[in-house]
């Protein structure tokens, strides 16, 4: 069931989104060559606790951590690991869901570790642009398929990359995963209609190679690209309004001015 959120709920989600954005901003100074991916988890836990936020992923369906830390060809759901030392040129994606006073926001951000290759830079640029192309379609009266079509047309037809199918965006609040599902692919003019007060995540996952993923990891969680190619993800939580989509997890009030 799709629910429309009140101004009170949206404001609560905005507060949670601000904490989550602050965590990602703080990680810019943490993520560097030579640290373990566990340091990301430690920083996140400390930051969220200091700011009155609860890491909602921790304990979700048995998941043990506050963050998902996925590196290079890991698409999503990678564990933060003490034995995984980040090296120059790595591509790291950090995804988490937080709540403040019961209100949730969800965001994933990609980070370059030190100096990265042109391939990594391009993949990050394409994935971030795909996110915002999707957000631009999240207007009242459009349909879910318009979001996915904009992303897929750019990622696959325009850039020749793989647009992941197995994992999609979703509604959010009062739980982590609500209706509607929000694929990063689809057919324009199809799917549920977007209405004022809907809160959703848009989260394209883009592979340099094919879109297929390997979900057979022994840990039961970590997803990798089927062909071993690099993968990137960006994600925002947003609300549909009569004045266009409003991002609740923005890290840059200048870049995101039209969405705030």
């Amino acid at each position: 069931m799709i629910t429309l959120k009140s101004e009170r709920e949206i404001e609560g989600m905005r507060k949670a989104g601000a904490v989550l954005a602050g965590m990602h901003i703080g990680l810019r100074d943490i993520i560097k060559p030579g640290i373990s991916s566990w340091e990301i988890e430690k920083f996140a836990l400390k930051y969220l606790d200091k700011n009155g936020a609860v890491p909602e992923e921790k304990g979700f369906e048995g998941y043990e951590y506050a963050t998902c830390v996925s590196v290079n060809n890991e698409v999503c759901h990678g564990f933060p690991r003490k034995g995984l030392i980040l090296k120059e040129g790595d591509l790291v994606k950090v995804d988490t869901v937080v709540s403040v006073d019961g209100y949730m926001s969800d965001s994933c951000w990609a980070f370059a570790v030190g100096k990265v290759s042109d391939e990594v830079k391009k993949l990050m640029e394409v994935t971030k642009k795909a996110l915002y192309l999707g957000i631009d379609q999240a207007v009242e009266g459009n349909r879910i398929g318009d979001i996915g079509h904009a992303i897929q047309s750019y990622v696959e037809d325009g850039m020749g990359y793989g647009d992941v199918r197995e994992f999609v965006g979703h509604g959010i609040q009062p739980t982590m995963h609500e209706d509607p599902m929000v694929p990063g692919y689809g057919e324009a003019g199809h799917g549920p209609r977007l209405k004022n007060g809907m809160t959703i995540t848009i989260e394209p996952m883009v592979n340099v190679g094919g879109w297929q993923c390997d979900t057979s990891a022994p840990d039961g969680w970590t997803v990798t690209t089927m062909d071993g190619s690099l993968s990137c993800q960006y994600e925002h939580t947003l609300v549909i309004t009569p004045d266009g989509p409003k991002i609740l997890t923005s890290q840059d009030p200048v870049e995101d001015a039209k969405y705030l």
Side-chain angles (χ1 to χ4, degrees):
M1 181 176 68
I2 299 173
T3 61
L4 305 180
K5 309 307 185 298
S6 67
E7 285 299 322
R8 175 179 56 81
E9 290 173 299
I10 292 166
E11 183 56 30
M13 294 177 68
R14 184 175 285 112
K15 290 179 181 178
V19 173
L20 182 47
M23 185 204 81
H24 281 304
I25 291 169
L27 284 173
R28 297 173 191 175
D29 295 327
I30 300 297
I31 295 175
K32 61 187 67 176
I35 73 160
S36 72
S37 67
W38 184 252
E39 293 300 315
I40 295 171
E41 173 80 356
K42 285 173 59 179
F43 173 84
L45 284 168
K46 184 176 180 179
Y47 185 92
L48 297 179
D49 182 65
K50 180 180 178 181
N51 288 276
V54 176
E56 291 289 339
E57 287 186 348
K58 194 171 186 178
F60 177 74
E61 295 184 353
Y63 191 77
E64 298 180 6
Y65 311 100
T67 61
C68 293
V69 182
S70 306
V71 182
N72 294 333
N73 70 317
E74 295 172 348
V75 178
C76 58
H77 303 165
F79 293 173
R81 286 150 281 182
K82 295 178 181 178
L84 177 57
I85 306 302
L86 301 182
K87 63 183 185 299
E88 189 91 10
D90 280 345
L91 171 58
V92 178
K93 293 81 65 175
V94 182
D95 189 5
T96 194
V97 183
V98 307
S99 66
V100 175
D101 298 326
Y103 299 106
M104 295 191 182
S105 277
D106 184 0
S107 181
C108 178
W109 216 248
F111 300 87
V113 181
K115 185 177 181 180
V116 297
S117 67
D118 289 343
E119 181 182 45
V120 170
K121 290 178 184 177
K122 182 180 177 182
L123 176 60
M124 293 176 73
E125 290 169 359
V126 167
T127 308
K128 190 174 183 182
K129 182 175 179 179
L131 168 64
Y132 280 86
L133 288 172
I135 291 172
D136 284 339
Q137 293 298 314
V139 298
E140 191 175 21
N142 272 5
R143 293 186 180 274
I144 291 292
D146 295 318
I147 297 171
H149 178 74
I151 292 170
Q152 185 177 16
S153 296
Y154 172 64
V155 168
E156 295 192 337
D157 300 336
M159 304 307 301
Y161 286 170
D163 184 15
V164 169
R165 310 284 202 275
E166 290 95 332
F167 302 92
V168 301
H170 49 86
I172 182 170
Q173 188 63 32
T175 69
M176 191 185 307
H177 297 131
E178 295 275 331
D179 289 333
M181 296 297 102
V182 186
Y185 58 92
E187 188 173 349
H190 287 249
R193 193 173 296 280
L194 299 170
K195 297 181 179 181
N196 178 32
M198 288 173 62
T199 49
I200 62 173
T201 74
I202 298 176
E203 46 185 298
M205 302 177 196
V206 178
N207 302 339
V208 169
W211 58 262
Q212 296 87 349
C213 296
D214 184 351
T215 59
S216 65
D219 64 25
W221 285 95
T222 305
V223 178
T224 58
T225 55
M226 188 68 74
D227 57 13
S229 64
L230 291 168
S231 184
C232 189
Q233 180 190 4
Y234 285 96
E235 173 189 16
H236 273 314
T237 295
L238 57 131
V239 57
I240 311 301
T241 81
D243 298 320
K246 302 300 180 184
I247 296 173
L248 303 179
T249 49
S250 172
Q251 299 177 35
D252 189 334
V254 176
E255 182 181 36
D256 291 338
K258 66 180 282 190
Y259 306 105
L260 300 178

